[in-house]
Amino acid sequence: MSSGTPAVVVDRLTKRFDEFTAVDGITLTIGRGEVVGFIGPNGAGKSTTLRMLCGLLTPTAGQATVAGYDVAREPEKVRQNIGYMSQKFSLYGDLTVRENLRFFAGIYRVRREDLGSRMDFAIRMAGLEGREDVQVTTLAGGWKQRLALGCAILHRPPILFLDEPTSGVEPEARRRFWDLIHDLAADGVTILVSTHYMDEAEYCNRIALINQGRLIALGTPRELKGSRLGGQLVEIACAPLGKALARMSAAPGVLDAAIFGDKLHVVMAEGGLDLAGLRQALADGGIQVGEARAVRPSLEDVFVRIVTRKQDAPGAAA
Amino acid sequence: MNARRVRAIAFKEALQVWRDPRSLAVALLMPFMQLILLGYGVSLDIKHVPLCVYDQEMSQQSRTVVDGFLSSGWFSLARALPNEAAIRTAMNRDQCSAVLVIPADFSRRLAMTGRATVQGIFDATDVNTTNIAMGYAEGATARLASEFESKYAAAHGVEPSAVGSVDLEPSTWFNETLDSRNFIIPGVVAVILALVGAQLTSLTISREWERGTMEQLISTPVTTLELMAGKLIPYFAIGLIDAAFCLGAAIFWFKVPFRGDLFTLFVTTALFILVVLGFGYLISVRVRSQLGASQIALLVTLLPTTLLSGYTFPIDQMPAPIRAISLVVYARYYVSILRGLFLKGSGLAGLAVPFAGLCVSALVILWLAARAFHKRLD
Ligand SMILES: Nc1ncnc2c1ncn2[C@@H]1O[C@H](COP(=O)(O)OP(=O)(O)O)[C@@H](O)[C@H]1O
Ligand SMILES: [Mg+2]
């Protein structure tokens, strides 16, 4: 990979399974050393996209290059430049920590003089010192995931594809995992990591929101939160929520309304109702209203807002 | 093909087999159990097969035939049958497993032409017993044939060799003593190796799919050939151990005389193991669940191998279409080779035809296996 070319270039990449379009014309460029978060709900098409980028699935249309190599035409060249963690845990459970590492080191032909130090590094990184000879199946989720990452980077790949590496892992272990990702990025590794945890978006340089196979937004977390909502976000404690949602969705000047936990999030257009008007509108509908206040939007708000807007106006540009 | 990668895969695979009770059982226990089952199934005898006789002629000659069958010790007389209909009744009621029918013109034909036939009817419910009984009957008729032959020669004042075959039955082509064990045990070895070998490798690829490790593996630069080689090597070693065990048991336990040379035995056995492992691997690539793969491996090796390899049913007596089908039942080549080695002491040259068959099978199966696997999920 020459220094000028981007690490990953995705151009109108599409994957259809029979009639069903799992990935629908995604276009994206990732620079070297960038950490890009691939965020979307289950079934959005994240895994399918990552698999195409690893050369494991053949694109139906469009193309992609990874480390300068076309994923459909030169998958083996691509594979020499990537590390991949599939969504399902995929180390050998009946092998020990060290045996797994040695296996992947052999597969990746890690030079013998580097073998010891690389394996030690991976063991330390995973926090598995002293447990090198434990069968992997007995490890808890966080350790397994860090070991899987260790196996995927034994050969020092310039590009990493991580598919939901933190799913099903307890919060503390998730944070540790993201620290590892940033350490790698600091060394110049390009990382595309998928997750369905919106809160993890904050850890990424850029995020790509993906829904129903389409890229619906792309930018830094700040950009997305700042510019994408198109109005003021208000959080209202009220009950019953379902009734409130129906009333708010129909209210004038309300761009969007959605349930967030036990509260209602409402996006209000500039110059529409104010807070007092909003409370009044709810109270008129026989809804108990508690606290209502303007809040800073989270990425989840942005995501919901973009998804609804798309559904309201099909064909609107992302 | 990179040796480092092949070694990494082979080592990993060996560890997994070592730690997987199911694979270990298939590798080490299954040959033992099958040997007992098949080996003793055929030789724990099965003397005194109950025989009904329907003698249409009731002559001196025909009685000689019946006595010939009974004096062999293989058959004991269950009943003499009065007519054609009684045959079915006797069979239906399990009064006998075989019926000997001597036609009314038996003596006349024998005297006139030097040729005559007797008819043998066998209860095929128990395939194994039937085969042995058939073997016994062939042996008994072969003995009678040579007896009649010398009598005929003496009576007509000709040398026995000039008479030509007095073929009551085509003379059997295996061991003179007609010890069914000597004939069948080498076949049993071939059948066991075919079954066990295919079972072993049928799990190897499907296991990776089932456990989800395949997706990781194919995202690496490993090549399909390296994968196949690495996966076959440990099973090849296991196959050789199994073969040594089965062949050793054949020679030292079942006391089948071995007249060939060990080098030929080793080369052909190694080649055969390669073929069966390749076949199991092919199935494993095609079927993504371990259970499915092992069941298909069992199904597609058990029936063809036991029925069409010539292990019990002589191939040259099969109808032409079946004979043609048996050409792809690669076990038949190893069965012939083993029989040649054990009973005739043939060298590689004498076994050229089945050896060539085995080589072609190896090439075709390994070629198919190497091409079958794709590093893709779709
Ligand atoms: N091999 C396949 N055959 C058919 N449909 C598939 C296949 N793989 C994925 N899908 C479908 O494609 C959609 C996207 O799946 P996926 O990429 O796994 O989503 P995500 O990783 O974002 O949860 C889902 O609806 C899924 O059911
Ligand atoms: Mg997924």
Side-chain angles (χ1 to χ4, degrees):
Chain A
M1 181 167 47
S2 73
S3 56
T5 50
V8 178
V9 180
V10 181
D11 181 22
R12 285 164 293 175
L13 196 61
T14 299
K15 180 70 188 180
R16 271 189 286 277
F17 296 111
D18 300 323
E19 293 298 288
F20 178 72
T21 306
V23 174
D24 194 359
I26 286 184
T27 296
L28 176 71
T29 299
I30 303 176
R32 304 200 327 135
E34 231 188 327
V35 178
V36 174
F38 222 36
I39 300 189
N42 281 330
K46 306 182 294 292
S47 297
T48 305
T49 307
L50 289 173
R51 284 169 170 165
M52 283 193 281
L53 293 180
C54 295
L56 299 177
L57 287 174
T58 317
T60 312
Q63 52 199 13
T65 60
V66 171
Y69 300 109
D70 188 283
V71 295
R73 285 199 306 270
E74 302 168 292
E76 291 305 334
K77 293 262 175 56
V78 169
R79 288 181 188 126
Q80 279 162 10
N81 286 282
I82 61 166
Y84 172 57
M85 257 180 85
S86 64
Q87 180 169 355
K88 191 165 173 249
F89 176 73
S90 54
L91 298 185
Y92 297 92
D94 48 353
L95 264 52
T96 67
V97 169
R98 203 192 295 279
E99 285 162 355
N100 267 288
L101 286 165
R102 191 168 293 139
F103 172 68
F104 283 103
I107 292 291
Y108 283 120
R109 297 163 67 186
V110 173
R111 292 218 318 263
R112 279 184 206 289
E113 52 267 41
D114 297 335
L115 191 64
S117 63
R118 298 271 178 95
M119 284 183 38
D120 286 346
F121 173 76
I123 288 168
R124 246 182 298 121
M125 187 186 87
L128 285 167
E129 298 101 324
R131 305 178 70 182
E132 293 90 342
D133 298 316
V134 167
Q135 281 196 17
V136 163
T137 188
T138 63
L139 297 175
W143 275 286
K144 274 187 187 162
Q145 292 306 77
R146 288 194 295 271
L147 180 62
L149 180 65
C151 287
I153 61 166
L154 273 174
H155 57 305
R156 300 267 159 95
I159 299 168
L160 270 180
F161 296 124
L162 311 177
D163 196 359
E164 303 209 14
T166 55
S167 83
V169 173
E170 66 278 24
E172 174 52 32
R174 276 168 61 190
R175 244 187 319 276
R176 261 191 85 175
F177 198 92
W178 278 98
D179 288 342
L180 296 178
I181 290 179
H182 282 128
D183 291 346
L184 290 167
D187 290 341
V189 179
T190 307
I191 300 166
L192 178 56
V193 51
S194 79
T195 178
H196 66 265
Y197 296 116
M198 296 282 172
D199 58 332
E200 293 189 337
E202 314 282 346
Y203 297 119
C204 304
N205 300 136
R206 273 197 303 157
I207 51 187
L209 291 184
I210 170 165
N211 189 47
Q212 295 180 358
R214 286 170 178 260
L215 183 69
I216 54 176
L218 177 67
T220 65
R222 275 182 70 134
E223 277 170 9
L224 290 191
K225 282 188 282 193
S227 66
R228 287 301 181 138
L229 221 46
Q232 174 62 51
L233 181 68
V234 175
E235 186 179 80
I236 311 162
C238 54
L241 277 172
K243 203 167 158 197
L245 178 65
R247 185 145 188 99
M248 279 296 96
S249 303
V254 170
L255 294 175
D256 190 21
I259 293 173
F260 268 74
D262 57 352
K263 302 211 170 64
L264 197 65
H265 277 197
V266 176
V267 182
M268 300 192 304
E270 305 288 336
L273 287 172
D274 57 5
L275 272 183
L278 204 89
R279 297 183 71 105
Q280 191 58 50
L282 283 169
D284 288 350
I287 292 157
Q288 284 187 343
V289 186
E291 191 191 1
R293 60 191 177 94
V295 291
R296 278 188 51 200
S298 71
L299 264 175
E300 206 157 351
D301 293 301
V302 176
F303 186 83
V304 169
R305 175 77 188 111
I306 295 171
V307 170
T308 4
R309 195 160 56 194
K310 284 235 173 297
Q311 282 160 356
D312 290 349
Chain B
M1 187 111 96
N2 177 269
R4 178 93 188 280
R5 286 203 194 115
V6 173
R7 215 174 318 133
I9 294 170
F11 184 67
K12 180 222 83 172
E13 200 70 22
L15 279 177
Q16 287 191 302
V17 172
W18 182 243
R19 288 179 192 159
D20 177 25
R22 177 167 155 194
S23 294
L24 266 191
V26 171
L28 304 175
L29 236 48
M30 198 164 133
F32 181 70
M33 282 167 35
Q34 286 181 334
L35 200 60
I36 294 198
L37 221 75
L38 296 176
Y40 277 110
V42 299
S43 48
L44 261 189
D45 267 350
I46 310 193
K47 278 215 155 120
H48 307 298
V49 174
L51 178 77
C52 284
V53 176
Y54 175 32
D55 186 349
Q56 298 177 340
E57 190 178 61
M58 293 290 207
S59 70
Q60 170 91 35
Q61 297 268 46
S62 69
R63 227 155 290 141
T64 315
V65 174
V66 176
D67 288 345
F69 265 72
L70 298 180
S71 67
S72 69
W74 295 320
F75 295 98
S76 57
L77 183 63
R79 268 183 69 195
L81 304 175
N83 53 42
E84 196 91 39
I87 297 177
R88 181 161 295 278
T89 321
M91 283 286 205
N92 282 347
R93 296 194 182 152
D94 265 348
Q95 290 169 337
C96 59
S97 345
V99 177
L100 173 67
V101 182
I102 303 171
D105 59 358
F106 177 76
S107 304
R108 198 164 47 87
R109 276 177 177 267
L110 192 64
M112 278 168 55
T113 63
R115 283 164 186 267
T117 41
V118 294
Q119 199 187 348
I121 303 169
F122 299 89
D123 178 0
T125 323
D126 175 355
V127 173
N128 236 336
T129 312
T130 307
N131 279 299
I132 294 154
M134 280 167 69
Y136 290 166
E138 279 177 25
T141 35
R143 283 187 182 180
L144 285 165
S146 70
E147 235 173 78
F148 284 129
E149 190 175 343
S150 17
K151 274 191 203 156
Y152 182 89
H156 289 72
V158 289
E159 290 293 303
S161 58
V163 178
S165 57
V166 185
D167 55 340
L168 288 171
E169 198 69 35
S171 70
T172 39
W173 26 268
F174 50 99
N175 54 48
E176 324 68 47
T177 59
L178 205 82
D179 186 339
S180 72
R181 180 191 283 185
N182 289 357
F183 177 68
I184 286 177
I185 293 286
V188 167
V189 172
V191 169
I192 291 176
L193 291 181
L195 287 181
V196 173
Q199 279 295 301
L200 281 174
T201 40
S202 72
L203 301 178
T204 182
I205 295 287
S206 48
R207 186 194 294 126
E208 304 245 10
W209 284 119
E210 213 166 74
R211 297 190 184 167
T213 51
M214 187 53 95
E215 186 166 347
Q216 193 72 46
L217 190 54
I218 60 179
S219 76
T220 72
V222 71
T223 69
T224 52
L225 267 185
E226 286 160 355
L227 189 66
M228 181 165 104
K231 288 209 165 245
L232 291 190
I233 285 171
Y235 297 109
F236 186 68
I238 294 172
L240 285 180
I241 294 171
D242 286 343
F245 168 74
C246 291
L247 291 167
I251 296 171
F252 298 112
W253 183 257
F254 290 101
K255 300 271 194 293
V256 182
F258 181 76
R259 299 178 181 133
D261 66 296
L262 286 175
F263 173 75
T264 310
L265 182 65
F266 177 77
V267 170
T268 51
T269 301
L271 195 60
F272 181 62
I273 290 172
L274 214 54
V275 174
V276 297
L277 294 180
F279 188 63
Y281 182 85
L282 191 59
I283 292 171
S284 198
V285 168
R286 292 284 171 200
V287 185
R288 288 193 176 185
S289 85
Q290 289 191 78
L291 188 64
S294 88
Q295 284 183 343
I296 288 181
L298 189 66
L299 198 76
V300 296
T301 45
L302 185 65
L303 285 181
T305 312
T306 46
L307 297 180
L308 300 181
S309 70
Y311 132 78
T312 46
F313 303 104
I315 292 174
D316 53 13
Q317 288 171 28
M318 295 172 185
I322 308 266
R323 245 184 358 246
I325 293 171
S326 82
L327 286 175
V328 301
V329 181
Y330 47 75
R332 67 169 282 180
Y333 303 117
Y334 189 57
V335 169
S336 322
I337 288 173
L338 279 187
R339 274 193 190 139
L341 283 173
F342 269 88
L343 303 174
K344 292 189 210 148
S346 318
L348 208 44
L351 301 169
V353 174
F355 186 66
L358 209 51
C359 290
V360 171
S361 309
L363 285 177
V364 170
I365 284 182
L366 292 178
W367 183 75
L368 286 176
R371 284 175 45 100
F373 188 74
H374 299 285
K375 291 175 67 185
R376 297 237 170 232
L377 296 170
D378 55 359

